[in-house]
Amino acid sequence: MVKFFVWTVALLCAVSGTAEDAYRRITLQHPKELTLEAGGIAPMPGGRLAVATRRGDVWIAENAYSKDGSGVVWKKFANALHEPLGLAFHDGDLYVSQRSEVTRLRDTNGDGVADEYRCIAKGWGVTGAYHEYTYGPKFDVAGNMWITLNCTMGDVVLPNRDWRGYSLRMTPDGKWQPVSGGMRSPCGIGINPEGDVFYTDQQGHWNSACGIHHIAQGRFHGHIAAFASARLPGAPFAEPKELVENVPVAEAAKRMPIYKPAAVWMPYRKMGMSTTDMAYDGTGGKFGPFAGQFFVGELTQASINRVFLEKVGGEYQGACFPFMERFQSGVLRLEFGEDGSLFVGETSRGWSSVGSKPYGVERVVWNGKGPFSMRTMEARPKGFRCTFTQPVTKEAVMAAKWQMRSYTYEYHADYGGPDIDVKEPEVRVVDVAKDGLSVELEIKPLRAGCVHELTVKGLHSTEEALLTPEIAHYTLNQIPTQP
């Protein structure tokens, strides 16, 4: 057991364009000899945090909620795992993803070290190709365990690639099945209280931008590597007779019904370059004014974004907003702790990041004040309704500068892709709520199947705070018919 104290700790506030002074970051200190490349994190009872490292160990941190990050006690709980990229604490046990299986770890004699490693799920293809990661597990409200499998990238023909690029659901009785496919690099899984499951995917071949996708039975998410398993027993969809490509994503979805584009696109660079984990804010306000939304990690830009989801026509869509930047390393894992703070697991090994350190764990804490931000952006038949965390006056709204760009993406085999079919619609403020907490906007033209990028400059709240961030991106897959 190693006890590590630190004499100086930097408590960093969010920077310009983020949550400003409303949040602080605390670095969990660890001994120099511990290579804390956090591939998985899992809060545990009693103020503890479990961290799985990409080098195959699981460590448990005592005093993980230290006010300044010092005095954390680290003890190795498990080792010899194969690049774990997910960790969960469920019904008193730790579950860790390895490339070829999900393993349950138990300490049966009470000495603080796992002595039982039991395989809980296996059977998908593993070839040794670099990108064949296994992400998860995450448990839904019914006790089902979810994992997602990175597709085998490149044109190399390899055997034993079954279910690469698929989501798998394992029921409590131990049976698993593929639910959807067509994933490229599905690094993060998020589940809301209703039990709906989402995953993040990264820009690349067949993905012009990163995105948040809703997992549902029989869906094809876009990457054609999944067709290699489409003829297997239990496949959730059949390979289409005709692959529709080189057209806008909305048109591809109409002509190829199994294809479901992202519920929310995360525009490249503007909202990150390598989307990672998802954490649902079920803290009831302990983490600020964004309860009921997802916080989404970004590896390359070492940042966290925020996603608001709503259902329109029975399908999820919504908006994404920048949240916090300049974490010490690439943000790979996110989990809310028992006090409502957000743990951030970080690593840059194998993937570059703008962070100043190669790895680590930080904790984000709300200070109870602010920020003044756009809380939600909701679709309306003629435009959008924007709500705020602080009230505004009609005079302030009319004095601000409201601008919009709308665009879409092409569904194609190329690596990533630019905004296409770009327009600059007219934005008109049609109403400001009496309480000052919402604004109704009319957009001409309002276009289904497009991202609507809203910029608001110079808007102040009644408390004289400047709106931050100034930008939001709504993926309008469908225009609602009723307000």
Side-chain angles (χ1 to χ4, degrees), residues 380-417:
R380 291 292 184 264
K382 295 184 178 181
F384 297 97
R385 179 175 186 256
C386 300
T387 68
F388 303 99
T389 60
Q390 296 177 14
V392 296
T393 65
K394 184 175 182 179
E395 292 74 18
V397 169
M398 300 310 295
K401 187 175 183 180
W402 299 75
Q403 295 177 299
M404 180 167 282
R405 293 175 71 247
S406 64
Y407 50 87
T408 187
Y409 297 110
E410 187 174 83
Y411 177 64
H412 58 212
D414 293 344
Y415 195 103

Side-chain angles (χ1 to χ4, degrees), residues 181-183 199 205-207 213 220-225 243 259-260 411:
M183 301 170 172
Y199 83 94
H205 299 292
W206 302 103
N207 282 341
H213 300 254
F220 169 62
H221 301 293
H223 201 293
I224 68 168
L243 177 63
Y259 172 50
K260 299 294 182 181
Y411 177 64

